[in-house]
Amino acid sequence: MASYSRALTRFGAAATRLSVAEAVRPYANFATAAATTTATTATTSYATRPVLPSSAILSSARGPVSLSRQFARTYADAAAPVSKKKPGKIRTTFKWLWRATYLSLFLGVGAVIYNGYSDRHPEEQFAPDPEKKTLVILGTGWGSVSLLKKLDTANYNVVVISPRNYFLFTPLLPSCTTGNIEHRSIMEPVRQILRHKKAAVKFYEAEATKIDYERKVIKISDNSDIKGTINETEVPYDMLVIGVGAENATFGIPGVRENSCFLKEIRDAQAIRTKIMDCVETAAFKDQDSSEIDRLLHMVVVGGGPTGVEFAGELRDFFDEDIKKLIPEISPRFKVTLIEALPTVLPMFSKQLIDYTESTFKEEHIEIKTKTMVKKVTDKTVEAQVTNPDGSKSMITIPYGLLVWATGNAVRPLIKDLMSQIPAQKESRRGLAVNEYLVVQGARDIWAVGDCAVAGYAPTAQVAAQEGGFLARLFNNMAKTEALESRIKELSSNLNLKPGNTAEITAEIEGLEKQLRRVQDVKPFNYSHQGSLAYIGSEKAVADIAWLNGNVASGGKLTYLFWRSAYLSMCFSTRNRVLVALDWIKAKLYGRDVSRE
């Protein structure tokens, strides 16, 4: 009986070992694979490799040890043909895109550093020939600077006269009023521009007070706070380009000039920024009257063009994104009203973009009052005449804390005086009438560009820039023409001095004459409209872009990105682009600067 029990016990133990071995077979294979995969070189698959039966394992002299080796060998045979998968196309694409991003960033930083170095270390300039003609350029706006940028100053004695010694990128001026961009970021020193010309250019920071076109002299005066012993003098010219722009038009409305803020110069943007914070801080003053708070926080913008619309959008963003967080108790009472005498805002845009702008302003709680003409302005109210839908007219009074006047241009006194001297300009009202080559009608050797000229185009920065570029090509061609004519005259006089050389000289003269005809073939100025852009707030913009034979109209957040990229590309220098981009990033991360000064 005892021997039977012992046999039964052995049989049970063997059966137990068998069942355990069979049960752990998959896990044993997996566990031993990690230690044996790198060492094995077998190529036989698991499907073709014989597996020992359980009885053979049980009869093995070493028992479980043989079982482990068999499991390891079997799994190694099965795992051997498995190769590492190749990365997919998407992963490879992203890898190369990542590398391209790093490379672009590296090249971009290198380009900025090189540009900064070249700006600080310009090439040496040479003094122009005093025998050459004197070209005087008045102003440092879009037209004048575009002319200087492309003009070969080696052909003339160039003199620049302007009351400001910088070029201002005016499209981003509304962003300066709310601290989204610092004013220094959109200014380019004129002397920095002139320092990179081949021939030296003289610059005088002065105001041109009179142009005597008969004597061909310009009277200038020093209008700075610090004056020397000589405050007024005269500058003679052989050729004159007038690009002094225009001043703000008040249309003779009482109180506009005394009580309004304009938006044409840097000092205007600074004054608006100061007054905005004055209104905010005064409205937050302890125990301030409720009606006075409503008046102080009511910002009125007159003018529905791009400047007025962009300023209204920037103002609304400023309160929604910054003031609302810092002074939440007064932010719900903030209000923006846009007044426009025409039936719609942005009249130069397509109908669908006008509708989109008006609907966006409605969402932003910006009130638009069209067909409304301002009649009088006081220090606290605007009196306006509204044309009702039925054609009737009524008067309204609008209290305000800040009034920004962004509509219309007026002729400067300098231009009025010149027009009075030229009989052919008697009928002109909006500026100097010019012909198709931008020559001032009735005068000789005088050209005009920009807002002070009447060439049949809208007074925009885009028009002025193209006019300046046209004049640069014209003046460069005129210099080439004179050089070619002089050379032809010299060769013609020496034609019979050297016998046997007549054929060569004649061939050279013919070549110069052909070149002269090409240079003289200058077509009249023709403005090419590239499109219109405007920011409308809430990180949205509208764009009406010329494309092929038609226009492409778009609006929204993607257009806003296009608006930013377009304005960055239009900035005068790499320095301006870097500063503007950094200002945008700073405002996005830390908010706008709400300091008063």
Side-chain angles (χ1 to χ4, degrees), residues 98-246:
W98 189 250
R99 292 176 179 175
T101 302
Y102 267 111
L103 181 61
S104 301
L105 182 62
F106 177 77
L107 293 176
V109 172
V112 170
I113 294 173
Y114 175 76
N115 181 268
Y117 178 83
S118 60
D119 276 350
R120 297 295 302 274
H121 302 84
E123 296 180 359
E124 290 296 327
Q125 292 180 311
F126 62 88
D129 186 355
E131 298 298 325
K132 292 185 176 180
K133 292 183 178 181
T134 299
L135 171 61
V136 176
I137 301 173
L138 299 182
T140 52
W142 282 91
S144 301
V145 170
S146 297
L147 166 61
L148 285 169
K149 189 175 181 180
K150 298 179 180 179
L151 178 68
D152 186 356
T153 56
N155 297 323
Y156 304 95
N157 291 294
V158 182
V159 179
V160 180
I161 302 171
S162 176
R164 66 183 193 191
N165 66 346
Y166 58 87
F167 165 72
L168 177 64
F169 188 77
T170 51
L172 287 176
L173 198 57
S175 297
C176 293
T177 60
T178 59
N180 200 24
I181 292 178
E182 294 299 326
H183 66 276
R184 292 285 178 188
S185 300
I186 59 173
M187 298 165 61
E188 182 70 17
V190 171
R191 293 190 181 276
Q192 185 75 9
I193 299 171
L194 301 180
R195 184 62 184 84
H196 290 272
K197 304 303 294 184
K198 290 182 179 179
V201 178
K202 292 181 180 179
F203 174 77
Y204 301 120
E205 187 182 63
E207 182 83 32
T209 57
K210 186 177 180 61
I211 299 173
D212 190 339
Y213 86 102
E214 291 288 350
R215 296 174 52 225
K216 302 185 82 169
V217 296
I218 305 166
K219 293 182 179 180
I220 63 174
S221 64
D222 183 4
N223 60 354
S224 62
D225 295 333
I226 299 177
K227 295 179 173 60
T229 55
I230 298 177
N231 298 327
E232 294 184 350
T233 186
E234 292 183 347
V235 178
Y237 68 86
D238 296 308
M239 304 163 66
L240 173 64
V241 177
I242 305 174
V244 297

Side-chain angles (χ1 to χ4, degrees), residues 353-371:
L353 292 182
I354 292 174
D355 294 340
Y356 179 77
T357 300
E358 291 179 348
S359 64
T360 302
F361 271 18
K362 187 175 181 180
E363 294 173 0
E364 297 172 347
H365 305 290
I366 299 176
E367 184 180 4
I368 301 177
K369 291 184 179 295
T370 55
K371 298 182 180 180

Side-chain angles (χ1 to χ4, degrees), residues 529 545-552:
H529 184 63
I545 306 299
W547 180 260
L548 298 178
N549 293 327
N551 283 7
V552 176

Side-chain angles (χ1 to χ4, degrees), residues 234-313:
E234 292 183 347
V235 178
Y237 68 86
D238 296 308
M239 304 163 66
L240 173 64
V241 177
I242 305 174
V244 297
E247 62 182 20
N248 298 284
T250 62
F251 306 104
I253 300 172
V256 171
R257 193 167 297 278
E258 295 81 5
N259 302 300
S260 300
C261 291
F262 300 105
L263 194 52
K264 267 187 174 294
E265 301 290 343
I266 281 294
R267 60 179 177 270
D268 297 333
Q270 292 172 322
I272 291 173
R273 182 172 177 175
T274 299
K275 196 160 186 178
I276 290 173
M277 294 313 303
D278 277 347
C279 290
V280 170
E281 298 296 351
T282 304
F285 194 76
K286 187 177 183 298
D287 299 329
Q288 188 66 267
D289 184 71
S290 179
S291 61
E292 187 67 4
I293 293 175
D294 290 335
R295 181 189 71 83
L296 289 168
L297 295 182
H298 188 191
M299 311 296 174
V300 177
V301 183
V302 180
T307 301
V309 167
E310 289 189 347
F311 174 70

